Amino acid sequence: MTHLPHPDTSNMRVTCAAITVSDTRTPETDKSGQLIQELLRNANHNIDAYIIIKDEPAQIQEQIKLLGQRHNLDVLLINGGTGIAPRDTTYDAIEKLLEKTLPGFGEIFRFLSYQEIGSRAIASRAVAGTYQQKLIFSLPGSSNAVRLAMEKLILPELVHLVKQIANS
């Protein structure tokens, strides 16, 4: 029997930034970035920024620091660069900045991914945590992975997590 959390009855709209980390994607070819925005809008959340940056740790950190200063933002949703290939540096850049981590996010994401793609799920370094009073979720770049994370983990808990940060 699965126990679900009490539903969050708040009509709170969360303000988000969608960030794609890729050396090759453009706004026209960025299916995962588009999907993040679509799912957020469908859940009545706001997208305040959409950015595509190269998979360069310094650029990733600089962008997170800049967005971290924006008081109107609640959440940074980053996709891409979470594998172990030499150009996959998103995890390395982000984990150094996180003030608190949400280990359960990565653990459950990999478990759910395993159910869909099998043992290849171990290569994902999806991570979540907080930085400058903002939630950060770092997802793989695949649209299937983005949909899984957004629908099963992020959207159901987004308002609750943002409220927790606001109360700290």
Side-chain angles (χ1 to χ4, degrees):
M1 179 174 176
T2 303
H3 295 282
L4 298 174
H6 297 291
D8 202 328
T9 57
S10 170
N11 290 330
M12 179 179 172
R13 292 178 66 128
V14 174
T15 302
C16 305
I19 304 152
T20 295
V21 177
S22 173
D23 293 331
T24 59
R25 292 189 185 167
T26 66
E28 296 75 34
T29 63
D30 181 20
K31 289 183 171 53
S32 293
Q34 294 166 9
L35 180 59
I36 288 170
Q37 293 176 80
E38 176 188 330
L39 292 171
L40 287 168
R41 281 190 197 100
N42 290 347
N44 291 318
H45 297 303
N46 302 316
I47 296 101
D48 190 64
Y50 168 59
I51 302 158
I52 298 176
I53 55 175
K54 298 285 184 208
D55 204 337
E56 296 288 343
Q59 287 184 33
I60 296 166
Q61 287 182 337
E62 179 183 344
Q63 195 59 243
I64 290 171
K65 289 175 184 176
L66 286 171
L67 292 169
Q69 295 171 11
R70 292 174 57 176
H71 299 292
N72 64 314
L73 277 178
D74 301 305
V75 180
L76 309 181
L77 292 150
I78 304 165
N79 78 91
T82 62
I84 59 169
R87 291 293 298 157
D88 289 335
T89 62
T90 304
Y91 173 85
D92 307 290
I94 290 173
E95 67 93 21
K96 291 174 175 66
L97 295 177
L98 293 178
E99 295 157 353
K100 290 186 178 183
T101 60
L102 297 170
F105 171 77
E107 294 162 358
I108 295 170
F109 174 78
R110 282 181 284 280
F111 171 74
L112 294 172
S113 293
Y114 176 78
Q115 293 176 328
E116 288 190 2
I117 65 170
S119 59
R120 191 147 300 168
I122 67 170
S124 170
R125 296 189 297 160
V127 65
T130 64
Y131 173 75
Q132 299 293 319
Q133 296 293 104
K134 288 160 189 35
L135 280 171
I136 295 181
F137 291 97
S138 178
L139 316 171
S142 117
S143 294
N144 287 341
V146 165
R147 182 175 299 281
L148 174 71
M150 292 292 291
E151 291 179 347
K152 299 284 186 183
L153 299 172
I154 296 171
L155 289 172
E157 295 301 323
L158 199 58
V159 169
H160 174 73
L161 293 171
V162 168
K163 282 181 177 179
Q164 282 196 318
I165 290 172
N167 292 332
S168 60

